[in-house]
Amino acid sequence: MKTGKPANSAAGPKAVYHAMSKALEAMKLGKTFKILGDLNQKGGIDCPGCAWPDPDHRSKLGEYCENGVKAIAEEAMDQNADAAFFASHSIEMMRDQTDYWLGHQGRLTQPMMIIKGDSHYSPVSWEKLFDTIAAKLSSLASPNDGIFYTSGRTSNEAAFLYQLFVRIFGTNNMPDCSNMCHESSGVALSHTLGIGKGSVKLEDFYQSELILIFGQNPGTNHPRMLSALKKAKSHGAKIVVINPLKEAGLISFEDPQSVSGMLGIGSSIADLYLQVRINEDVALLQAISLKLLELAKDQPSIIDSNFINEKTDGFQAFKSHLENLNFHHLIERTGLPMDQIEHFVQLLTERHKIIACWAMGLTQHVNAVDNIQEVVNLLLLKGSIGKPGAGTCPVRGHSNVQGDRTMGIWERPSKEFLDSLASTFNFEPPRAHGVDVVAAIQLMYQEPGKVFMAMGGNLLSAAPDTTYTKAALENCGMTIHVSTKLNRSHLYPGDIGFILPCLGRTDIIQEQSGIQKLTVENSMGMVHSTQGNQKPRSEHLLSEPRIISQIASRTVGNKIVNWDSLIQDYDQIRELISKSVKGFESFNEKLKNNAVFELPNGPRKGQFTNDIGKARFTVNSLPDYYLEEDEMMMMTIRSHDQFNTTIYGMDDRYRGIYGIRTVVLMNKSDIAALGLEVQKPVTLYNSYEEKTRKVEGLTIIPYDIPRRCIATYFPECNELVPLQLKARKSNTPASKSVKVKISQT
């Protein structure tokens, strides 16, 4: 371990160096450049990392970022985890390894099976695997004893087939990674505006006057966003960041596609950086809105009264609620100085084209839905939705997590969607809601014998309450993981455990009709194709659509859907999607010539499609929690060498932390007040519902973070996040506001 001064600028020549070092460490030179040459180009390979949209005009220098290169190197690495690897590595041995080690053992190359009591995974044929899975599913007492999880990597085609199979099977038990990240955004936006997606397109950033960035670290999690922010600033936009931690990418950006950037000369990003206390965003927003309403008494143009009167509902209740609040008490809760508040207010009074962006810093709290609804309130007050340069922008962290939901991966499907399936396929889909991630884990824990199937992802490392989640997986009668790489979830199988190795984004998919393409939807509702350029490294690898079709045909038969015929040409899958999913009419036609097309979005055009047909102001409560004198508020975060649960390396370069992940970022004053010694390890612990959880052996890192707030990495500290600590209405685990105490012996 070593520490240094946190960076004050992101990207630049260091990012290029680190990206290429990772790529060439994983792949041969020719392969590296062949893949990178196609990455995020029209008709090429969609990056399996974040869901940030591609510009219309793609850079010939490369349309990718440092962590995008790391993501593609992780998938396409030359090393293989084959049968010989599993023969020489027992389950127990692998459990003692880090997530970083597990991910770097290589691509999975053939199906593997383990039976409870066995020490090692063993090879299994696809035929035996498919027949065993189908027999187990068919023997369940109820379809609701099956749980079918999906990660955001899955293509539209695979997601559509998966949900169709599961609903023909007879359940809506389709938890997905959205349940753990932007579910709160979907709930809040659907209620207030009528669609659970953002309302802006990439082009809106270049027309915006003011961009607000809440609880987000684009320099690590979606670095190509920095190019859009730089361009927005060149067009006159101001940027305000609201985040407890100073993040390098939001301070300055060294554009590696410019001469100045490659010389290490950065472009300033944030005009104002507000280091708000963890989960005090509602207090900040309500204070700001209260001040704007007060100023509007003398300057009516500060708020958009015409928009409010014509397009919204609930303004008077919202206004009355604010007027009953104490402005100075709200500011005190934020921990921010008054001059910063005044600067923020000034920027808002002078501008009406405002975009609000956010990520997990808003969505993973008990009051997460309130957080996002309060963001919407501010935009409605300014009339900043439904016009160019303005609107909502929840930034998705996985490349097709939004597309999966559009395709029907949801435990609470709409009546409209189910009716469409019923009429298209002439069967009655289940109508009762299924289980989300939290409910699924609880169900598996409490009722042994369930079947858990994961289409990608690493549930164990992503989920809260790690010990409880391990036990839940091991309680299953069967666990099925469709994966490209080894991960920790594979190491806690049920009575029977299967690993199904699949083709990735970089791989060529060859079916009877020829080479196939897949499609994805980006964070702004644009759909485009993706097609690999690498020969599969093993004859045993199958595409996700083929894997689903084989399980489905054996389990539910071919009466409703001819799975075997369908999979011969993926155009046939898209034809079914075009008949079933709104916005995908003439799907194959829209994809001609590698075209990108836009899905319907009412709020983008000022049309609000919720139950009242108007944008809805809401009344939101301040977060209700009390910290004892020796308690701290913990948020879990990613390091720079990380994407979701995938660990690229042991460094967090932008935060100045190297060679270690078991750390606690703390304010120096808190370290002194608690009498802690930086040189000695500490234990974090808490007690929710009389259950004590703890993580030992953590190292203190003095850091610029608000008082009474600490930050730790996930998945290392997921053990401290209770499963029952979840957002109201969305059930998202509240991983960003967990009360903990610190001990040192």
Side-chain angles (χ1 to χ4, degrees), residues 207-279:
Q207 301 178 60
S208 184
E209 298 170 333
L210 178 63
I211 300 169
L212 312 179
I213 301 175
F214 293 86
Q216 188 184 350
N217 179 15
T220 288
N221 300 330
H222 19 259
R224 288 191 301 146
M225 181 179 178
L226 299 181
S227 297
L229 295 178
K230 176 189 173 187
K231 186 173 179 179
K233 290 208 70 173
S234 72
H235 290 195
K238 298 291 185 180
I239 296 175
V240 177
V241 178
I242 303 95
N243 198 55
L245 294 176
K246 281 279 186 76
E247 302 290 13
L250 291 171
I251 299 171
S252 178
F253 170 50
E254 298 169 18
D255 186 352
Q257 299 213 3
S258 69
V259 174
S260 60
M262 286 304 290
L263 291 174
I265 301 171
S267 300
S268 174
I269 297 297
D271 295 282
L272 177 63
Y273 208 120
L274 305 177
Q275 286 185 263
V276 67
R277 287 182 181 139
I278 291 174
N279 200 24

Side-chain angles (χ1 to χ4, degrees), residues 360-374:
M360 304 301 94
L362 288 193
T363 67
Q364 292 182 330
H365 303 278
V366 171
N367 56 295
V369 174
D370 287 11
N371 284 339
I372 293 138
Q373 288 182 165
E374 204 63 56

Side-chain angles (χ1 to χ4, degrees), residues 319 330 422 647 707:
K319 182 171 179 286
L330 294 172
I647 312 300
R707 291 290 308 272

